[in-house]
Amino acid sequence: MKVPASRLVAELRQFIGTEHYYRLLPTFVVTDGLKYLMDAAECYWLGQLYGLHLVDIDINDQPFTVLNLKRVGSGAKIDIEDGNGKVLSWQAVDYTDFPLQSITLYAQWAGEHWVGMLPSEY
């Protein structure tokens, strides 16, 4: 069952680090906070989308990325950028029931895999 948006925002604030990593893809793991978001908002698709777009990122040039999701009508626009506004990849989503109007996520290369996280866990 999805958590209402106002409660989700409040609960996401509690994540300031992680105790576990959860493998989502072979080269993409997520923190406690991002896993909570995916569970509470029923949006595993968002984590998988992020991880799949990172496959094409050159880790030597770009070991850190930022995902920005913005709701547009019944869909969303998702940009993955370098943290300084340079878009590395993007995708339009025709329909989503994601409960928030926008969200920002981070991913950092950790030597063997990308670690996806909430900004408060960075």
Side-chain angles (χ1 to χ4, degrees):
M1 183 166 109
K2 287 190 181 184
V3 173
S6 59
R7 186 171 138 210
L8 181 60
V9 169
E11 290 180 356
L12 290 176
R13 288 188 194 122
Q14 74 177 326
F15 294 98
I16 56 170
T18 196
E19 293 183 12
H20 301 93
Y21 291 129
Y22 305 89
R23 187 160 308 278
L24 196 57
L25 297 167
T27 60
F28 189 65
V29 300
V30 300
T31 58
D32 293 330
L34 184 47
K35 180 161 185 328
Y36 175 81
L37 172 68
M38 293 186 307
D39 288 341
E42 297 177 1
C43 66
Y44 271 81
W45 62 268
L46 181 59
Q48 291 175 336
L49 181 148
Y50 199 2
L52 290 171
H53 276 273
L54 293 173
V55 169
D56 294 329
I57 303 294
D58 182 352
I59 57 172
N60 294 314
D61 291 335
Q62 197 57 56
F64 175 81
T65 64
V66 177
L67 177 143
N68 294 302
L69 176 147
K70 294 197 186 324
R71 292 287 308 263
V72 179
S74 61
K77 182 171 188 270
I78 299 167
D79 292 327
I80 298 171
E81 49 120 324
D82 67 355
N84 294 314
K86 179 183 173 193
V87 175
L88 305 170
S89 182
W90 69 275
Q91 183 168 339
V93 176
D94 293 334
Y95 174 80
T96 181
D97 59 355
F98 188 72
L100 305 177
Q101 288 300 308
S102 65
I103 194 155
T104 298
L105 304 174
Y106 292 166
Q108 176 78 44
W109 180 251
E112 297 178 6
H113 49 257
W114 288 94
V115 178
M117 66 194 84
L118 302 175
S120 59
E121 293 177 298
Y122 183 69

